Amino acid sequence: MSVLFRVPPIGQARQKEMMKSATSFAYRETSEGPLSAHFFLPEGYQEGDDRPVVVFFQGGFWDNPMITQFVPQCLHFASRGAVAAVVETRLQSVHGTGPSEAIEDVEAFVRWLVEKASEVKMMLNKLVFGGAAGGAFLALDQALRVPGKSPEIVGYEGPKALILFSALVNTTSAEVAKRFPDASEAKKLSPLRRPRKHAPAMIFFHGRQDRQTPFADVVKFSKKMRWRKNRVDLVDYEKADHSFFNFNVSEFYYDLTIKAADHFLVDLGLLSPDPFDDLA
């Protein structure tokens, strides 16, 4: 049975204000209700423009809605010329679901995005996925799929880069595994058990004091991926905890992480250099 989740009035007002510049589309109709993707378009965007597309999946562990979490990051990348988006997936508190359903939703979003991109001539050759905690897991799930072993979508080559905050890379711990249908599913999907060659470049932002997604797990995962010749940048913060990067938690850490993420995409050739960067 679905559990109803009510947003407090002040939260509703704040969410409405933050989302007012978004262009929203319902990308999927589920038995538990519709799901939307909210896009923030750069100034002067026109159909057919070769723009980076940066997509974020919310943090948490597929439990409570936090759709505005990555709006500040979206607004930053839109100001830098990218199409940016935050994507809803089903959640335990709203839909009574877990990570398996969220994975299905991301797959549905990808199919919808490819179809929509074809309609409006949006380029997906510079697609970037980002997320935090369980949302980072969803981004990694897409990036770690081995070509030829998953149903392929015509016109979709996967993300070119990942931007990951306080990432969940180990889904075998008792607290996380219980959210999956069974322990074997949690084990099979754990990024720690799925390192591969020729994966997209990744940048991790992680606090060493993170007790929800341990820093040691990300270190281990990074080593496995680098051993396979992948680019994996790990930026750690000595005194930071799980939520450190959020704009409403710390503007200081938000600024550090968004600038580093920006430079990462510039270095990959996915984003144009910021002409004002030297003035910062």
Side-chain angles (χ1 to χ4, degrees):
M1 182 174 67
S2 297
V3 179
L4 294 178
F5 180 86
R6 296 187 181 276
V7 180
I10 190 171
Q12 291 176 339
R14 176 179 177 274
Q15 178 168 303
K16 184 177 180 180
E17 178 67 19
M18 291 186 72
M19 299 297 290
K20 68 180 183 181
S21 63
T23 301
S24 302
F25 301 90
Y27 74 86
R28 188 180 195 197
E29 185 68 51
T30 73
S31 56
E32 295 86 8
L35 298 171
S36 296
H38 309 277
F39 287 81
F40 297 82
L41 302 177
E43 185 176 353
Y45 175 76
Q46 296 182 357
E47 292 184 8
D49 283 358
D50 185 12
R51 306 275 191 146
V53 179
V54 185
V55 177
F56 288 100
F57 304 105
Q58 74 159 65
F61 296 89
W62 321 287
D63 38 28
N64 296 318
M66 298 188 295
I67 195 60
T68 60
Q69 179 184 30
F70 282 110
V71 169
Q73 286 85 350
C74 283
L75 293 174
H76 168 83
F77 285 117
S79 75
R80 294 278 287 109
V83 174
V86 288
V87 178
E88 298 175 2
T89 62
R90 281 173 289 177
L91 302 164
Q92 196 282 327
S93 66
V94 181
H95 310 98
T97 57
S100 297
E101 290 80 9
I103 290 171
E104 292 175 6
D105 296 337
V106 173
E107 292 171 347
F109 167 74
V110 167
R111 289 192 294 269
W112 175 88
L113 181 64
V114 171
E115 181 178 342
K116 193 72 176 177
S118 177
E119 290 178 8
V120 302
K121 300 180 177 63
M122 180 189 296
M123 308 290 285
L124 295 181
N125 60 319
K126 298 177 182 176
L127 180 63
V128 178
F129 283 164
F137 164 81
L138 295 176
L140 281 165
D141 176 68
Q142 284 288 314
L144 297 176
R145 297 184 178 204
V146 178
K149 292 190 176 182
S150 302
E152 295 189 4
I153 302 172
V154 177
Y156 176 64
E157 299 178 356
K160 303 301 182 185
L162 302 183
I163 303 171
L164 306 169
F165 302 86
S166 303
L168 174 66
V169 299
N170 180 12
T171 54
T172 64
S173 67
E175 183 63 28
V176 176
K178 69 182 183 182
R179 299 170 185 262
F180 287 81
D182 53 61
S184 63
E185 185 77 0
K187 186 176 181 180
K188 181 180 74 172
L189 292 174
S190 183
L192 261 179
R193 299 180 59 85
R194 298 166 61 191
R196 53 162 284 199
K197 295 181 179 180
H198 309 300
M202 306 175 186
I203 187 167
F204 288 87
F205 299 100
H206 220 95
R208 286 179 174 264
Q209 305 305 314
D210 192 333
R211 296 182 180 181
Q212 298 185 57
T213 54
F215 177 66
D217 287 342
V218 176
V219 172
K220 188 182 298 184
F221 176 77
S222 298
K223 289 180 178 178
K224 288 185 175 186
M225 293 295 285
R226 288 170 182 156
W227 188 82
R228 290 165 174 80
K229 310 298 183 184
N230 296 296
R231 175 173 175 177
V232 179
D233 295 2
L234 175 54
V235 185
D236 62 280
Y237 301 88
E238 182 65 37
K239 297 181 180 180
D241 59 13
H242 186 69
S243 302
F244 75 102
F245 61 91
N246 288 297
F247 181 82
N248 63 340
V249 173
S250 170
E251 289 187 39
F252 173 73
Y253 282 130
Y254 166 80
D255 286 338
L256 288 181
T257 56
I258 198 66
K259 287 178 180 177
D262 191 297
H263 290 169
F264 175 69
L265 296 187
V266 170
D267 190 50
L268 292 172
L270 299 176
L271 194 66
S272 299
D274 186 348
F276 301 103
D277 192 47
D278 292 338
L279 303 180

